[in-house]
Amino acid sequence: VPLLLFSSFFNGISTFVGTFYSVLIKSKKAMLTTFIAAAINIILNYVLITYIGMWGAVIGTFCSYLVIAAIRMIDINKAVGFNYSFFKFLLNVAVLASCVLLVSFEINIYIVAGSALVVYLLINFNEIRQIIKKGISFLRSLLAKKQNM
């Protein structure tokens, strides 16, 4: 079920961003966002399973994970001030959605994954370059400290 795979992406985002609630000691907001997502999941499951069976549960799960990820990203961005491009985020989500769609049509997974990797690298080239530069700088500082000992 590719839509569940896509749902897990948003679950991962909500879990990662949700850890900031612990750091910021905002456990009530973590509980509230979890409650909202659970309520959405229960309501959508109740309504959709009646009409479309198991796909109702899949869609309910997807929607609840999407909502919790969105709420937490917006909320934590206000508190911490993440410096991320919403447009690039949407591009990355579109690439992932395309992969899920292509794999569900039984297109060769290796071609899909390879193509997605190239597109991800192109979209995120500057960010990847910055991470590599910071990593090299960090390693150099560790080596310099070790040599000074």
Side-chain angles (χ1 to χ4, degrees), residues 3-8 10 41 44 56-68:
L3 190 56
L4 278 178
L5 175 64
F6 197 42
S7 299
S8 68
F10 290 106
N41 197 358
L44 287 177
V58 172
I59 292 168
T61 300
F62 173 77
C63 290
S64 65
Y65 284 153
L66 177 65
V67 167
I68 194 171

Side-chain angles (χ1 to χ4, degrees), residues 4-72:
L4 278 178
L5 175 64
F6 197 42
S7 299
S8 68
F9 169 75
F10 290 106
N11 182 35
I13 288 175
S14 71
T15 301
F16 171 72
V17 177
T19 59
F20 284 88
Y21 287 129
S22 297
V23 172
L24 298 171
I25 310 170
K26 295 188 176 202
S27 56
K28 287 182 183 176
K29 285 195 174 188
M31 182 182 67
L32 178 64
T33 57
T34 302
F35 178 75
I36 291 169
I40 289 169
N41 197 358
I42 291 168
I43 292 167
L44 287 177
N45 281 346
Y46 181 77
V47 172
L48 295 175
I49 289 173
T50 305
Y51 294 103
I52 54 178
M54 79 166 186
W55 281 103
V58 172
I59 292 168
T61 300
F62 173 77
C63 290
S64 65
Y65 284 153
L66 177 65
V67 167
I68 194 171
I71 291 171
R72 287 181 174 183

Side-chain angles (χ1 to χ4, degrees), residues 54-102:
M54 79 166 186
W55 281 103
V58 172
I59 292 168
T61 300
F62 173 77
C63 290
S64 65
Y65 284 153
L66 177 65
V67 167
I68 194 171
I71 291 171
R72 287 181 174 183
M73 285 178 68
I74 291 167
D75 190 39
I76 293 299
N77 190 38
K78 289 177 187 175
V80 176
F82 275 129
N83 186 17
Y84 70 93
S85 166
F86 189 69
F87 178 71
K88 279 191 177 183
F89 175 75
L90 289 179
L91 281 176
N92 285 310
V93 169
V95 171
L96 181 61
S98 300
C99 289
V100 169
L101 188 62
L102 291 171

